[in-house]
């Protein structure tokens, strides 16, 4: 898994509307929280997405945006996003290419690890959390990212 201090690999993936989106495009607006999750509509992933949804206004105030990645199709992401009123982009990595680049492929290539990366506008990874089953650690990670951004905006 990539670590804090490393450069975030560039990628292009389709979003929930099947429009190709790149890391560079997202970073033009500043830092992002890039989070990886196993699947739409599973209990843990739904909880994680809703926590990020509920923190979204605070994140935007701090100049942060959220981008999610999982292996489901753009169509699945559209349904998931609409059902839970998610205000952020979900990217489809059906071949798990980006999931592998970031080192969050599950054990023996099965599934996806639940991980979040704070990436600054220069593509540098500033912080990382891996918490497969402890969703609360992702909320704590986001709150810490908000505090860091508020203390020293980029």
């Amino acid at each position: 898994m990539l670590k804090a201090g490393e450069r975030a690999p560039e990628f292009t993936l389709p979003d929930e509307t099947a429009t190709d989106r790149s890391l560079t495009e997202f970073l033009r607006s500043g830092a992002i929280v890039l989070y990886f999750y196993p699947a739409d509509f599973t209990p843990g992933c739904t909880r994680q997405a809703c926590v990020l949804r509920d923190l979204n206004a605070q994140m935007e105030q701090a100049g942060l945006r959220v981008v999610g990645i999982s292996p489901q199709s753009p169509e699945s992401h559209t349904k998931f996003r609409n059902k839970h009123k998610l205000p952020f982009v979900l990217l489809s990595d059906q071949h798990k290419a980006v999931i592998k680049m970031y080192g969050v492929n599950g054990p023996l290539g099965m599934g996806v690890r639940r991980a979040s990366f704070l990436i600054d506008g220069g593509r540098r990874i500033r912080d990382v959390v891996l918490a497969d089953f402890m969703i609360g650690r992702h909320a704590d990670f986001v709150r810490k990212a908000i505090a860091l951004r508020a203390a020293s905006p980029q």
Side-chain angles (χ1 to χ4, degrees):
M1 189 168 108
L2 296 176
K3 296 175 178 46
E6 292 186 278
R7 191 162 167 79
E10 178 61 69
F11 62 80
T12 300
L13 290 172
D15 67 12
E16 67 280 347
T17 68
T19 302
D20 283 345
R21 309 285 295 272
S22 70
L23 177 62
T24 297
E25 173 191 344
F26 291 117
L27 294 176
R28 282 189 196 122
S29 300
I32 65 168
V33 171
L34 181 66
Y35 86 99
F36 292 85
Y37 66 102
D40 296 336
F41 298 106
T42 62
C45 295
T46 299
R47 186 168 156 232
Q48 180 182 20
C50 290
V51 163
L52 293 171
R53 175 200 64 205
D54 295 346
L55 290 168
N56 195 66
Q58 292 173 47
M59 292 176 70
E60 285 183 350
Q61 275 187 326
L64 286 169
R65 294 176 53 203
V66 176
V67 178
I69 297 179
S70 78
Q72 284 69 51
S73 68
E75 296 81 13
S76 177
H77 285 341
T78 296
K79 291 174 187 168
F80 186 59
R81 193 169 182 247
N82 290 343
K83 179 172 182 175
H84 297 290
K85 298 178 174 56
L86 303 178
F88 44 82
V89 173
L90 298 177
L91 300 175
S92 177
D93 188 9
Q94 291 182 288
H95 300 290
K96 295 171 70 172
V98 176
I99 288 164
K100 290 173 186 170
M101 281 193 313
Y102 280 74
V104 294
N105 205 20
L108 304 173
M110 304 291 287
V112 176
R113 311 279 316 265
R114 193 180 314 280
S116 296
F117 297 83
L118 174 60
I119 304 172
D120 70 19
R123 281 191 31 212
R124 188 72 44 203
I125 297 170
R126 294 295 172 194
D127 202 0
V128 178
V129 67
L130 175 66
D132 292 317
F133 301 106
M134 297 184 287
I135 308 297
R137 288 187 66 195
H138 291 277
D140 293 342
F141 173 84
V142 168
R143 287 185 189 98
K144 178 180 169 188
I146 291 168
L148 288 172
R149 293 285 301 165
S152 61
Q154 283 184 294

